[in-house]
Amino acid sequence: MARVVRFHEYGGPEVLRIETADIPAPGPGEVQIRVRALGLNRAEALMRAGTYIESPTLPSGLGLEAAGVVERVGEGVEGVAPGDAVSVIPPVSMVRWPAYGEVITYPANLVVKHPSSLGWEEAAAVWMAYLTAYGALIDIAKLGCGEFVVITAASSSVGIAAIQIANRVGATAIAVTRTSAKRQALIDVGAAHVIAAAEEDLEARLREIVGPGGARVVFDPVGGPIFEPLTVAMSPGGILLEYGGLSSEPTPFPLFTVLGKSLTLRGYLVHEILGDPARLAAAKAFILDGLASGAFRPVIARIFAFDEIVEAHRYLESNAQFGKIVVTI
């Protein structure tokens, strides 16, 4: 028996309940983990509210990231053993593989022995952020040395990971955030330039920074009105990777800018990396190398106790955080 978080109806953070459940032994190819820390993601708030791409049968568990100690392994598992400190790569389905619990069971291919330099909180904050940013910037866009990359929602855990990845490959990170309140924090994590979109003319500032050559890569989870100034500041043949829809306003399609510059506007979800073993292996190697070298370091916004999961979700939806929200057990 172990405590888990579930919800029996869709709604706000208050629908989350901590309950006791039987935890079956791990099956073939599975690893059972005693969890020490959980990383929170917006996808979990969306599923709890009933607006996520995955629709669970209620009651349902949830959660995509965790770190802890291996308790048991199923038949055929190699590479990890009881007692190992591990973190988990987000699964394609958090309904099938929920992470919010004292004990969780995951497929062995999604369990990673992380560098010992990481504490439990940092280890629980790695994989969603860095895999999402890696898949867009490195796997798809092939971002390289000397290039500009525009990163919106830059104070999120994914945005911070994208800044660190850009620096790792020698690119120049332009962080776009709503106000100047987080400007210095973004500079401190490696942004070369910071634009406060609610306080400055986004198009003018981007043009000033990138010059006539433009930015080849834009990484955006927002959409809405900023779509037009972002594309105007892009270089011919550039690529805009859209991985969310945070804006509540309509997203215009800048037809003539796209035509005139032969731009690629591409939808992207981290699931396409998770579903391809070769691409996932390359991502793991890249991220583990960056973690081991110290080039990548997750930023923790705030830590909550497991019993405070409702409060943690309220904070998640406040948009006040800089970096990752973590829950410890």
Side-chain angles (χ1 to χ4, degrees):
M1 302 289 286
R3 294 190 302 163
V4 299
V5 175
R6 298 199 298 179
F7 59 103
H8 294 249
E9 60 182 318
Y10 295 123
E14 67 280 357
V15 303
L16 297 177
R17 301 182 189 176
I18 296 177
E19 302 176 340
T20 301
D22 287 317
I23 309 296
E30 293 181 340
V31 176
Q32 198 160 86
I33 301 162
R34 174 70 60 174
V35 174
R36 299 292 184 86
L38 308 168
L40 269 56
N41 296 279
R42 290 191 182 276
E44 292 139 31
L46 293 174
M47 193 171 86
R48 185 208 70 224
T51 57
Y52 189 50
I53 55 176
E54 188 174 16
S55 298
T57 299
L58 300 179
S60 175
L62 74 169
L64 289 164
E65 290 185 280
V69 178
V70 175
E71 283 207 333
R72 294 189 286 180
V73 299
E75 182 183 349
V77 171
E78 298 178 353
V80 293
D84 285 345
V86 297
S87 47
V88 300
I89 289 173
V92 172
S93 170
M94 68 172 126
V95 175
R96 175 64 182 88
W97 309 104
Y100 285 12
E102 292 177 326
V103 177
I104 62 174
T105 304
Y106 259 63
N109 68 310
L110 298 181
V111 176
V112 182
K113 290 194 286 187
H114 52 260
S116 59
S117 58
L118 295 182
W120 295 119
E121 294 86 355
E122 290 178 317
V126 168
W127 292 105
M128 178 60 86
Y130 288 90
L131 274 172
T132 301
Y134 166 90
L137 301 185
I138 306 303
D139 182 84
I140 296 171
K142 314 296 184 190
L143 182 69
C145 186
E147 294 192 297
F148 287 107
V149 55
V150 180
I151 301 163
T152 67
S155 63
S156 68
S157 59
V158 175
I160 293 167
I163 291 168
Q164 294 179 0
I165 287 172
N167 288 333
R168 179 73 164 162
V169 300
T172 298
I174 303 169
V176 179
T177 187
R178 197 175 63 84
T179 72
S180 57
K182 299 174 183 177
R183 182 185 300 274
Q184 188 57 51
L186 286 165
I187 292 170
D188 291 345
V189 297
H193 305 275
V194 179
I195 302 173
E199 301 171 4
E200 304 176 75
D201 184 320
L202 178 58
E203 181 181 328
R205 285 285 288 122
L206 283 171
R207 285 180 176 275
E208 176 187 337
I209 294 166
V210 303
R216 187 179 69 84
V217 182
V218 175
F219 186 44
D220 175 57
V222 180
I226 67 169
F227 216 68
E228 289 188 290
L230 288 175
T231 54
V232 167
M234 291 174 68
S235 64
I239 181 169
L240 186 155
L241 293 124
E242 190 69 28
Y243 70 102
L246 296 177
S247 177
S248 60
E249 300 180 63
T251 300
F253 183 76
L255 176 61
F256 292 106
T257 302
V258 172
L259 287 173
K261 294 186 176 185
S262 300
L263 300 180
T264 297
L265 308 182
R266 191 190 192 285
Y268 162 71
L269 291 175
V270 71
H271 294 163
E272 62 185 274
I273 304 298
L274 299 174
D276 186 320
R279 294 167 78 186
L280 180 57
K284 284 183 186 178
F286 181 91
I287 294 166
L288 287 171
D289 181 69
L291 290 169
S293 72
F296 301 159
R297 199 77 187 188
V299 173
I300 308 301
R302 188 170 166 187
I303 298 171
F304 291 83
F306 190 65
D307 289 334
E308 299 174 315
I309 190 66
V310 171
E311 290 79 4
H313 264 242
R314 287 197 180 112
Y315 186 64
L316 175 66
E317 295 185 332
S318 74
N319 297 321
Q321 69 270 25
F322 183 85
K324 195 80 164 182
I325 300 167
V326 173
V327 172
T328 56
I329 302 179

